[in-house]
Structures are given as C-alpha cells and as structure tokens.
Amino acid sequence: MERIKMYIDGEWVSSSTGAYRELINPANGQVAAEAEEGTAADAKRAIAAARKAFEPGSPWRQLLPEERAELLNKAADLIEERAEEMAIAETNSVGRVYKETRYDDPYAVAGTFRYCAGLVRELKGEAAGGNGDLITMTLREPLGVCAVIAPWNYSIGTMAGGMAPALAAGNTVVVKPSSISPAATAMVFQAMEDAGFPAGSINLILGPGQELGTVIAESEDVAKIVFTGSTQTGKDIIEKSGKSIKRCAMELGGKSPFIIFEDGDLDAAVDRLMFGIFLSQGQVCVAGSRLLVQESVYDRVCEMLKERVPKIRIGMPLDPASEFGPMVSEGQMKRVLDYIEIGKKEGAALLIGGNRIVEGEFAKGYFVEPTVFVNCKSDMRIVKEEIFGPVLTVQTFKDENEAIAIANDTRYGLAGAVFTSDMGRMLRVCSQVNTGILWANTFMEYTPAVPVSPHGQSGMCLDGGIAGLEEYTVLKQINLKMNPTRSGWFEGLDDTQEV
C-alpha cells in the first residue's frame, strides 16, 4: 500500500520513529493509504532546513524575483498536468465529490501560483529626500521561515494561499497539512520538486497537529504562521507563538448569514443558498449556514427548499454524477449528528433531512442527509456555533434593521450574502454587516486581485492582491548621507580635534 512520505531538505523521508497513520476513505470506511507520522524531532529538522535555505548566499536566496516566478509557473504547469490524480487522491481522502475536486482544487493551486508569480516585481519600497543630502528609502524583504498549517477541507487550495505568496516574496516554507488529507499535498510537493525548487526552500511534515503545531508555534526560527482551522486551535497557536513574537495569519471559524429580502430573485437566491451550504457537505469556512429570510417570502422559500433539496444527487464521491458525498470522518459525522439532536431539543423543527444515510452502498460510509431547521432563534446552539456540516438554520426578519441585527448577532465575521433588487438596501446591508467578505446577489464568486480580511473571531489576516503579498515581507528603512558630517551635539569637542 502507498506510504506518503515527508519532504525535508530536498529529500523524501520517513518518520524518525518509523510510525505511520492509516488514512480512511470516508465513503466506505476502508483504508485508502498510509502516511508517515512525524514527530517533534521531524518538525525541528524541517524548520532547520528552511532556516538554512534562507541564509544569505544559499541557492534559494540567490534567485532573482523573476527566477522565483519561473519556478512557481513551472510548478503550476506540472500541477495541471497531474490534476486527475490529485483530484482522485483528494476525493478518496475527504469525500468531496469528483465533480468538485477535478475542476477546482488542482487548478486553484495552479492559479494561485501563477497569480503570485505575476506579483513578484510589485514588491517595491519608497524613497524620499530628507534634510540636506540625506536620502531615506524603504526596502521590502522576506520575513524568513513561514509555516503553513492547512486544514483537511480544501487542503491544497488553502495551502497554496499561504505557500505561494510566501515563496513569491522570497521566504522559505514548512507545510503541515491535516493528518486526514496529506495525499494531494504530497503530490503538489512532488510537482514543485520536479520544477526545481532548491533543497530546503519547501518542506513538508506530516503528523499530529498538536505536537507538530506546538513545535512550529514555539520555534524562534519560524517568522510567521499561516493557519486555517478552528477558532479554538487558532487561539492556542497565538498563545504559544507569543513566546517567540512571530506573526500570525489566521482564518478561523464562520457562521455566515445569508439574507433574502422579499424583492430578491428567489430562484437565484435559493439556488445560491443551496450551493453555499451544501457544497462539500457544508464543510466550508464561508458556508452560508444561517438563512435569514423576510417574513413575507418565508413560506415560499421554505417550499422551494422542500422541493429542491431532496433532488440533490447524493452518491459515491468518485461517481462523476454525484453532487454530495460523505462527511470527512466518522468523528465529524458524529459531531454533525450530535448537533442535529441538539437542534431538536432546543425546539427547532426539521424541515428536511436530519439522518445518517445507511442504505445500500452508503452503509459503511459517513453520509448525513442535507438538513434544514426552521423555527430557529439566535440563542440556539445550532445557530450560534459552527457545525461545519450540511445543516442550515432558518430565521425570519421583518425589516432591514432587524436583518442586520440578526446577522451581526455572532462572534464570527467571515462571510455573508444578501439578495435584493434594491441597490440602496444592498449597499446599506453590505456596509453594516460585520464580515470580511460580502456577496450581493451571488455567493462564493471573487477575484484574488482584491484583498480580504476576516472580522471578529473568524481570524486576523490579509489575503489577496499586492497588499496580501506584502504581508509576507518586513519593511526596512535605510537612511543615506551622501557627505558625512559631525553632529555638533557635544560642544566640548573642538571641530579640529581628531576623534
């Protein structure tokens, strides 16, 4: 059986202890592959390799910006050539349907690599005249070792979002993917090795998140951590990293409001809503998990959901016709089912779904029905807490002010959407709902050329555009005096006295 190895200092290596982990296919509960189970010692070795590769005079540091861009572009080409195998590996690891992984993940990585490659020459400093012949300038320099801790959902796309700008800016990287989904990540590293990235510039470690994450957070050789995952884990990383004063970029939990006004296009709204909550079985940070619908169209929207949600094609993930697959693991499935029971006890009413699917070929997989709760209130746990599954809660509102108040009644602030034909209302709602990204009359469409930053306990980072790339640099000020002179501060010194 395939054993996925770590990539440290230009070599594919095993765990220092020989330990490995079995990777389970969530569609059938069977072992799909094995992965090395790295240790703290392995993590330290990877960090040391990245630190060495960052030293002045190393092959990586000697590369010109356009040469770094060439490597990123070459890797992007190889990733696209291997898109099929990456998609299958990702589908077998996390259960996202082939229809999604085949046409999204590898191309998202390649696109991010190419976009960041195109920005390498945009990292510019400034210059200004000072007093007399003093010239002051700034330089943007790479930070050093950047550690990217990626989640199991959208594992390679999320990894690329931290890895590509870090490398484009001249940093070296250490990547720690989720223990659940390292297969596609290893394939990306293979493509980067084949593209010619120098030894130590890119490093891949595998193993338990808490042990390896602690090493990364506490290491004085790591300049920045890029983490995507739960809010609690993000808090733990920030606390541990405080000992060494490093930068942290965090994209954490979400509980995004999806607001439908009576004058919105209901057909498009419900279609985008279903895409926003049931894509990847709801295991998406920005999932539109809280539906807020105006009272006058509540019945109509509920009827549309009752009609359309049962038509979602639930199937085995590698079936090209499947639109909805299993949860990523047995543990995640149990978590979602527990929340469904909590919702029932809190007084919410099931409109659709709510059960595990165990018939036929689904018997040994981790499938949960697309689920919709109505009669929900803001103080319910299913409304307030991130479930990270295919569970939609529905609340009603009377007017614009109440919609905004309900939308903002959360500790999160990652994303949101509003459907309305009133341009004034659209702008008011977008300006007053506290989220990092808002969609109006659409959902999950965006361009990487414009930066985005989460609000509240959804994290702290700046991604996208030149502003996002600058987050992987440190600003240095240089003051140049063309003609050296004495300060004249100490009056006791004779101007002719030698010093």
Side-chain angles (χ1 to χ4, degrees):
M1 180 172 290
E2 176 191 6
R3 177 77 60 84
I4 301 166
K5 293 183 177 293
M6 297 182 286
Y7 187 72
I8 299 175
D9 203 13
E11 297 181 348
W12 292 96
V13 299
S14 300
S15 168
S16 57
T17 63
Y20 66 93
R21 172 191 295 261
E22 291 183 337
L23 306 179
I24 306 300
N25 184 330
N28 55 28
Q30 297 178 0
V31 177
E34 296 172 350
E36 298 293 337
E37 190 79 334
T39 65
D42 296 313
K44 291 176 181 177
R45 179 184 169 194
I47 293 169
R51 186 69 185 87
K52 181 180 178 181
F54 186 73
E55 292 294 333
S58 72
W60 172 251
R61 290 300 299 276
Q62 290 180 334
L63 293 178
L64 298 173
E66 55 265 29
E67 291 175 319
R68 297 198 301 267
E70 183 179 355
L71 287 174
L72 286 167
N73 282 322
K74 188 174 181 180
D77 292 341
L78 293 173
I79 289 167
E80 288 187 342
E81 289 175 8
R82 304 167 189 181
E84 178 77 13
E85 58 181 315
M86 289 185 187
I88 292 174
E90 186 73 357
T91 292
N92 285 337
S93 295
V94 299
R96 290 171 55 222
V97 296
Y98 176 82
K99 177 181 179 181
E100 182 182 0
T101 58
R102 178 63 178 84
Y103 299 102
D104 182 10
D105 297 42
Y107 296 100
V109 176
T112 301
F113 277 26
R114 290 197 179 100
Y115 179 75
C116 290
L119 289 180
V120 295
R121 280 297 186 185
E122 298 301 316
L123 290 173
K124 302 173 182 178
E126 300 176 346
N131 296 323
D133 60 353
L134 179 69
I135 297 176
T136 298
M137 65 176 64
T138 58
L139 298 177
R140 285 203 172 272
E141 298 181 338
L143 295 167
V145 178
C146 294
V148 181
I149 304 176
W152 46 260
N153 66 317
Y154 294 94
S155 58
I156 57 175
T158 303
M159 174 198 68
M163 191 182 199
L167 292 169
N171 301 282
T172 57
V173 298
V174 174
V175 172
K176 162 62 178 78
S178 166
S179 297
I180 293 176
S181 56
T185 301
M187 293 178 182
V188 171
F189 267 77
Q190 183 65 68
M192 297 180 77
E193 180 188 40
D194 294 345
F197 277 82
S201 60
I202 57 171
N203 301 273
L204 171 66
I205 54 174
L206 309 176
Q210 185 171 7
E211 180 180 356
L212 274 59
T214 296
V215 172
I216 291 171
E218 295 181 349
S219 173
E220 295 186 357
D221 287 330
V222 174
K224 178 172 182 172
I225 296 177
V226 183
F227 171 75
T228 303
S230 73
T231 297
Q232 184 55 54
T233 302
K235 291 178 180 179
D236 293 341
I237 290 174
I238 292 170
E239 181 179 355
K240 291 174 181 176
S241 66
K243 298 177 182 179
S244 54
I245 313 298
K246 59 172 56 68
R247 299 189 184 191
C248 292
M250 302 277 163
E251 183 181 307
L252 308 176
K255 197 70 178 177
S256 301
F258 195 108
I259 308 170
I260 301 178
F261 284 93
E262 60 187 0
D263 62 342
D265 184 324
L266 298 188
D267 176 69
V270 172
D271 176 80
R272 288 286 180 173
L273 169 67
M274 290 173 56
F275 178 74
I277 182 58
F278 298 131
L279 178 72
S280 295
Q281 296 75 257
Q283 299 167 127
V284 183
C285 296
V286 298
S289 54
R290 290 190 296 145
L291 171 60
L292 315 182
V293 59
Q294 198 158 18
E295 288 179 344
S296 56
V297 292
Y298 167 77
D299 290 338
R300 176 60 183 142
V301 169
C302 286
E303 286 301 317
M304 294 172 76
L305 287 170
K306 287 176 66 175
E307 176 188 355
R308 297 184 184 187
V309 172
K311 295 179 181 179
I312 294 174
R313 292 198 293 269
I314 303 171
M316 301 306 285
L318 285 178
D319 182 347
S322 295
E323 299 171 331
F324 185 97
M327 306 305 299
V328 68
S329 65
E330 184 178 18
Q332 186 66 14
M333 177 190 70
K334 290 180 178 179
R335 171 186 169 87
V336 172
L337 292 174
D338 285 346
Y339 267 107
I340 290 173
E341 291 305 310
I342 289 170
K344 294 176 183 177
K345 292 176 182 178
E346 289 180 318
L350 273 173
L351 181 71
I352 304 163
N355 302 299
R356 179 181 180 182
I357 306 173
V358 294
E359 294 80 12
E361 62 181 351
F362 303 126
K364 296 183 179 180
Y366 310 133
F367 292 82
V368 177
E369 293 176 330
T371 299
V372 180
F373 275 108
V374 295
N375 298 340
C376 297
K377 299 178 181 178
S378 293
D379 60 353
M380 291 180 174
R381 288 183 61 188
I382 58 170
V383 175
K384 299 185 74 68
E385 299 175 13
E386 185 179 40
I387 299 174
F388 219 64
V391 180
L392 176 69
T393 63
V394 184
Q395 297 173 264
T396 60
F397 63 87
K398 293 182 175 64
D399 55 28
E400 181 179 320
N401 289 335
E402 186 177 15
I404 293 170
I406 296 173
N408 287 336
D409 188 13
T410 176
R411 61 175 178 156
Y412 297 111
L414 194 56
V418 55
F419 272 74
T420 177
S421 60
D422 185 327
M423 182 63 70
R425 171 185 288 156
M426 186 185 303
L427 293 173
R428 287 192 301 272
V429 172
C430 286
S431 67
Q432 294 180 61
V433 173
N434 300 325
T435 66
I437 183 169
L438 259 294
W439 285 283
N441 293 335
T442 188
F443 202 72
M444 291 189 187
E445 291 186 277
Y446 67 97
T447 170
V450 179
V452 60
S453 180
H455 294 193
Q457 292 194 27
S458 285
M460 53 179 191
C461 60
L462 185 62
D463 292 324
I466 185 62
L469 185 60
E470 289 176 346
E471 291 289 294
Y472 292 84
T473 66
V474 61
L475 198 63
K476 176 187 288 183
Q477 185 186 99
I478 299 175
N479 296 281
L480 304 177
K481 187 77 168 178
M482 305 306 295
N483 298 299
T485 59
R486 297 175 64 176
S487 69
W489 178 264
F490 298 103
E491 297 179 0
L493 290 176
D494 188 290
D495 285 345
T496 62
Q497 181 180 346
E498 291 186 5
V499 292

